[in-house]
Amino acid sequence: MWYAIISEDIENSLAKRLEARPAHLQRLQDLKDDGRLFAAGPHPAIDSMEPGEAGFTGSLVIAEFSSLTDAQQWADADPYIAAGVYQQVTVKPFKKVLP
């Protein structure tokens, strides 16, 4: 089943994000390589694809896991959590309807 992992950053998270980004992206690449990644990306803090110093306010990952427990465990192991980037992470089932 698909699960949405919705994360909210602390304020001024950009420096911490940049430091932990390679490890964070590797985990996403692993999901992609396994054919389990639907979508992933950050939420820019301003209305721009390249927000620069404004940074990001959080992230969204939609990926396939065997259970909510597995999705939560994967989310809990995110390098952004260890680096103090995220202040809150919500994991919930996602039902793809369109397209």
Side-chain angles (χ1 to χ4, degrees):
M1 180 168 190
W2 295 109
Y3 293 89
I5 301 168
I6 306 143
S7 306
E8 295 179 36
D9 283 21
I10 62 168
E11 287 195 38
N12 302 311
S13 63
L14 188 57
K16 290 180 178 188
R17 267 183 171 270
L18 293 174
E19 184 177 324
R21 189 169 191 258
H24 172 79
L25 290 179
Q26 183 58 57
R27 296 176 79 235
L28 293 171
Q29 185 64 50
D30 292 345
L31 284 177
K32 181 182 175 197
D33 292 348
D34 289 344
R36 298 173 40 212
L37 184 62
F38 178 73
H43 301 287
I46 59 174
D47 190 12
S48 173
M49 292 295 290
E50 298 296 333
E53 292 297 316
F56 302 93
T57 61
S59 302
L60 171 65
V61 174
I62 301 173
E64 189 174 30
F65 295 93
S66 60
S67 68
L68 179 59
T69 299
D70 286 349
Q72 185 68 60
Q73 288 174 346
W74 186 89
D76 289 345
D78 194 309
Y80 280 175
I81 291 178
V85 173
Y86 293 151
Q87 66 178 334
Q88 181 176 338
V89 177
T90 303
V91 180
K92 52 187 167 180
F94 175 80
K95 181 181 175 183
K96 181 180 182 259
V97 176
L98 293 171

